[in-house]
Amino acid sequence: MHYCKYHPLDGATYFCEQCNVHQCDHCVDDAQLPARCFVCGHHLVSLGSGNQAEPFWRRLPEAFKYPLNASSMSLIVITSIASVMAMLMPFLWILALALYLFAAGALLKYSFTCLERTAMGEMKAPDVMDAYQGGISLLLQLVVITIILGLAVGVAAHFLGPAIGGLLGFIAVISFPAILIRFAQTENMLEAMNPFAALSLIGAIGLPYGLLMAFILIMMTSVGLLHEWIGQLFPAVSYVLQSMVSSYYTLVAFHLMGYMLFQYQDQLGYSARIDEDEELPKREAADRLAAQIQVLLKEGDYERVVTLYYQAFKQYPNDARFFDQFFELLYVCKKTALMADFGTSYLHFLNRKKRLDKLTPGFKQIRVIAPDFLPDSPALRLQLASLLKQQGDSALAVKLLNAMHKQYPDYAELPQAYYLLSDILGQMPAMQAQADKCRQMAQQLEKVAERKKLEAAMAQAEPAIPAAVKAPGRRPPPTVTKSGLQLELVPMEPVATNEKAE
Ligand SMILES: [Zn+2]
Ligand SMILES: [Zn+2]
């Protein structure tokens, strides 16, 4: 059994000949069939799910639950009562025989259907109504098969001596489940009795086949024991009970035989897929992308991982796992440049998802990896600064707001930003003068903003005038304060006058 390279505990269902790697269903690109390799893009070899099927003895609890459903149980009860009734009316022997054949035939047909469906990967018992036709003819054929086998052994013992007869009898008993399996699969007596087919089936399954036989034997013995215990006291009850238990065991045994076919489908030359939840919903494109990222990550192909993450951010801007995983990855791997690039998107994402409690911790984490990082968005800066002010982290808040009017001269809430900066500076020791300057600037900015609004209103009334080319403002040397903060406070008059002159 092969295991998925990326999930060492899961059985593989695919193989990439190009990469020489085994994959599970999760780790392949199944957007179109046949599935492709996430790493190299080549078509994959499907292993079928027999490869990942657990051996039947580990499935015994499930196997015993297999007939426990209303449909199968009602069939078991009805056929048991019918066959016991048939035994109790010897006076109408034709009717009794018909009843008995009907009951046994129905159960046999249903058992065969169970085997067939299980072999195709259906792990739930089929509906009884799916399997009510042709039971009696199947039963008769099975009787014929048994008689032919018995005759063959008898003839061999008579003509070739008891030793060879005994050996043949032994082989016949051993092959009987294989013959049953073949018969259930083909519903053809001759094909079922082909000794080579039966032997090759046994050979393909190997030792577990012996275990299955032992298991069937134990179940048969337990029916006999049950009869011994209860039979002497209540014969009629015992017959019904015995018949019910043996029918139940029959269904379990046929399910197990079918499971064995399913498990060894590769060796037996066919391919089936398990569908325990009826039809699995097709994987979402986002899930597939996430799976591909995980595979490439485990392959160490970081360049493609980054490309795929950026693709995911564009396609699924609200899918938290991509943002959180990429953030985590950059943080753990200490990727400074990528973190500086991704930081703003991540903070925007947190905002979008209303995870406001994560905003400042996230911001600080980003700065651990990219120490100079400041979000490239004035609104985010203002929001972070006011949160940091509440948390008492004035230094970082000042860094966020400092010189914002130069970087974002068109930001509508510049005055608010500078009022906030002035408040923060006012709370810091020996920064009163700076705080006052900031307040003045906020007031100037407010005036400018009002004037701009007025101009915009006028421009709407008249045809648009080409926008003024702004003269670069003179830049006084940055003021270094006692606390080590750099403040860049630029008077706004020159810019304003220029605009007016136009
Ligand atoms: Zn996998
Ligand atoms: Zn490949």
Side-chain angles (χ1 to χ4, degrees):
M1 177 167 171
H2 294 286
Y3 292 89
C4 173
K5 180 182 177 190
Y6 312 106
H7 298 98
L9 297 178
D10 292 343
T13 43
Y14 289 97
F15 177 67
C16 179
E17 288 172 332
Q18 198 78 14
C19 308
N20 195 22
V21 154
H22 285 92
Q23 295 109 324
C24 69
D25 281 354
H26 189 74
C27 298
V28 298
D29 182 1
D30 54 0
Q32 283 166 342
L33 293 175
R36 287 167 180 277
C37 176
F38 267 150
V39 179
C40 71
H42 271 81
H43 286 300
L44 296 170
V45 179
S46 172
L47 302 177
S49 45
N51 178 60
Q52 59 171 8
E54 46 190 356
F56 85 90
W57 53 89
R58 287 223 209 111
R59 261 192 79 86
L60 284 184
E62 280 95 341
F64 276 101
K65 280 182 213 146
Y66 181 80
L68 292 182
N69 61 75
S71 179
S72 312
M73 285 315 281
S74 47
L75 181 77
I76 289 176
V77 171
I78 291 169
T79 52
S80 300
I81 291 175
S83 55
V84 171
M85 269 168 61
M87 280 197 298
L88 293 178
M89 42 186 203
F91 40 91
L92 280 170
W93 70 270
I94 292 189
L95 194 68
L97 184 69
L99 193 62
Y100 184 79
L101 281 180
F102 166 75
L107 189 78
L108 186 72
K109 173 69 189 175
Y110 185 64
S111 307
F112 275 17
T113 310
C114 290
L115 186 151
E116 221 173 300
R117 298 284 175 87
T118 309
M120 293 316 292
E122 209 178 289
M123 296 300 150
K124 267 192 205 135
D127 193 70
V128 172
M129 298 318 280
D130 287 356
Y132 68 104
Q133 271 177 334
I136 294 179
S137 104
L138 274 184
L139 183 69
L140 291 178
Q141 290 182 54
L142 194 63
V143 170
V144 172
I145 290 177
T146 317
I147 291 173
I148 292 176
L149 280 178
L151 272 179
V153 172
V155 168
H158 189 265
F159 289 104
L160 303 169
I164 293 181
L167 185 68
L168 272 180
F170 181 69
I171 292 174
V173 169
I174 284 187
S175 332
F176 198 67
I179 290 171
L180 269 184
I181 290 175
R182 297 277 312 155
F183 186 43
Q185 270 192 307
T186 59
E187 294 199 5
N188 181 320
M189 260 170 47
L190 287 178
E191 271 190 54
M193 300 243 296
N194 178 354
F196 297 108
L199 286 176
S200 78
L201 183 84
I202 297 173
I205 295 176
L207 190 64
Y209 182 86
L211 282 173
L212 177 76
M213 282 212 63
F215 190 72
I216 294 174
L217 212 69
I218 292 170
M219 291 201 290
M220 279 162 63
T221 323
S222 77
V223 176
L225 277 179
L226 189 79
H227 178 62
E228 294 254 308
W229 289 340
I230 314 175
Q232 283 124 5
L233 297 172
F234 318 98
V237 176
S238 161
Y239 279 123
V240 176
L241 211 62
Q242 197 184 332
S243 169
M244 272 167 52
V245 171
S246 63
S247 302
Y248 172 78
Y249 281 164
T250 306
L251 290 190
V252 173
F254 274 78
H255 171 60
L256 283 176
M257 287 194 268
Y259 187 77
M260 202 151 274
L261 287 182
F262 175 72
Q263 193 187 347
Y264 292 93
Q265 51 181 280
D266 282 351
Q267 288 90 324
L268 298 170
Y270 79 105
S271 162
R273 296 206 142 254
I274 203 155
D275 55 69
E276 262 172 297
D277 306 307
E278 301 288 288
E279 252 178 54
L280 283 173
K282 202 159 164 50
R283 190 153 56 146
E284 297 277 330
D287 296 337
R288 197 176 301 120
L289 189 55
Q292 181 171 17
I293 288 175
Q294 290 309 313
V295 166
L296 292 174
L297 201 58
K298 286 169 188 165
E299 286 290 345
D301 190 346
Y302 297 114
E303 218 166 286
R304 278 173 75 193
V305 166
V306 172
T307 315
L308 286 181
Y309 266 123
Y310 273 91
Q311 186 188 328
F313 300 147
K314 239 187 246 165
Q315 281 177 324
Y316 311 104
N318 286 311
D319 199 325
R321 76 190 132 164
F322 294 118
F323 287 88
D324 287 335
Q325 282 171 3
F326 191 55
F327 180 71
E328 204 65 24
L329 181 73
L330 296 182
Y331 187 71
V332 173
C333 299
K334 301 196 167 44
K335 299 281 180 199
T336 306
L338 283 170
M339 187 61 113
D341 191 48
F342 175 61
T344 305
S345 311
Y346 187 62
L347 294 173
H348 270 309
F349 163 76
L350 291 178
N351 237 338
R352 238 186 352 261
K353 290 306 236 183
K354 303 273 175 285
R355 281 157 59 179
L356 301 182
D357 56 318
K358 292 277 184 311
L359 265 181
T360 51
F363 175 52
K364 286 180 182 171
Q365 267 182 297
I366 296 170
R367 283 181 65 93
V368 170
I369 305 302
D372 297 329
F373 172 80
L374 291 174
D376 186 17
S377 147
L380 256 178
R381 288 199 189 188
L382 185 55
Q383 187 185 11
L384 279 170
S386 83
L387 285 170
L388 286 168
K389 178 185 169 239
Q390 286 166 23
Q391 294 164 12
D393 194 341
S394 308
L396 198 51
V398 169
K399 269 187 195 144
L400 278 162
L401 295 173
N402 191 13
M404 244 174 79
H405 68 281
K406 280 197 283 172
Q407 259 184 292
Y408 308 102
D410 298 325
Y411 180 46
E413 285 175 39
L414 269 184
Q416 285 85 329
Y418 276 89
Y419 279 126
L420 180 63
L421 181 58
S422 148
D423 283 353
I424 297 168
L425 288 170
Q427 288 172 358
M428 293 168 80
M431 294 293 267
Q432 204 49 54
Q434 301 283 354
D436 290 343
K437 259 193 198 170
C438 268
R439 185 162 299 278
Q440 281 164 18
M441 196 152 117
Q443 285 159 356
Q444 281 169 1
L445 285 166
E446 241 174 357
K447 276 180 206 154
V448 172
E450 269 167 32
R451 198 160 49 224
K452 270 188 187 165
K453 232 186 246 171
L454 212 73
E455 278 171 4
M458 281 163 68
Q460 264 194 340
E462 293 169 29
I465 311 160
V469 183
K470 281 177 203 153
R474 268 178 294 114
R475 200 185 228 199
T479 338
V480 179
T481 64
K482 272 178 207 159
S483 58
L485 288 172
Q486 278 203 340
L487 284 179
E488 291 186 67
L489 297 173
V490 186
M492 294 297 290
E493 277 87 352
V495 180
T497 353
N498 264 345
E499 275 180 359
K500 214 181 168 189
E502 232 299 312

